Amino acid sequence: KKKQPPPPYVLQILTPEYLIEGTVEGNAHLAFPGDMVGMSFPMTSAEIQTIGVAEVPVQSCARFVAVAGNAVALIPRTDVTQLEHYVLWKEFKQPLQATFYLGPYLVRGRMMYVVPGHLERDMPVWDVRITCVDPDARWDGLSAPFALVNTRWLRGYEPDEGA
């Protein structure tokens, strides 16, 4: 019996300028491409929110195609253990609790490594809190049980005490 794909779910895509949120197919390929353009995420019922200091109203689109190449983080708003990529992410067993400096964001959470200290391009982070470095940004940040972060944006990290 062929396994049914997971149901569609809400995906948040964080880029340096925007938080894009919309519904994707349950089998969407959650990863960052090797080049800066690469993969895209066709979405329905999308909302595009500006992160910066300008007051720009949220844009709503019935259909939108988000491009993953420039994304800082992918945040699936679903039970990630049901996603096909979970088989990869659960191999990351070495935790590092820290504040990660990713582009214009501070990402607090538990980054999981396969090999301690060895960064993959796509790194799973659990119990995430993401805020903007810019104190004037008109964005309150977000919290999530899980995010996949793009280490191309990683500028460094501050390990928690005892980490």
Side-chain angles (χ1 to χ4, degrees):
K1 179 175 175 245
K2 193 165 184 284
K3 192 172 168 219
Q4 291 295 312
Y9 62 90
V10 171
L11 177 66
Q12 292 176 311
I13 301 177
L14 187 62
T15 76
E17 307 86 11
Y18 301 103
L19 176 64
I20 302 162
E21 180 175 309
T23 302
V24 296
E25 290 297 322
N27 59 0
H29 185 74
L30 289 194
F32 300 103
D35 57 50
M36 285 306 279
V37 184
M39 293 139 40
S40 58
F41 294 97
M43 300 180 149
T44 56
S45 306
E47 290 194 340
I48 299 103
Q49 175 183 348
T50 307
I51 299 290
V53 293
E55 278 204 56
V56 178
V58 171
Q59 302 291 314
S60 295
C61 308
R63 293 176 58 213
F64 186 78
V65 178
V67 178
N70 202 31
V72 177
L74 302 174
I75 302 118
R77 294 299 190 168
T78 187
D79 176 1
V80 295
T81 65
Q82 300 306 305
L83 300 179
E84 61 178 290
H85 286 72
Y86 184 70
V87 296
L88 300 175
W89 300 329
K90 72 179 177 60
E91 294 305 311
F92 289 68
K93 293 181 169 39
Q94 299 292 326
L96 173 63
Q97 186 75 35
T99 300
F100 302 91
Y101 290 71
L102 280 148
Y105 303 107
L106 293 178
V107 178
R108 286 194 50 76
R110 195 172 68 254
M111 185 177 279
M112 301 298 280
Y113 290 80
V114 174
V115 178
H118 177 76
L119 287 168
E120 310 282 341
R121 185 181 59 223
D122 304 2
M123 292 294 285
V125 184
W126 298 88
D127 303 320
V128 181
R129 174 78 188 137
I130 302 175
T131 54
C132 204
V133 173
D134 183 348
D136 297 325
R138 297 178 180 276
W139 185 61
D140 295 332
L142 63 82
S143 297
F146 176 86
L148 193 67
V149 300
N150 183 347
T151 58
R152 247 199 309 262
W153 290 100
L154 186 63
R155 304 297 174 248
Y157 60 87
E158 177 186 2
D160 285 8
E161 289 298 321

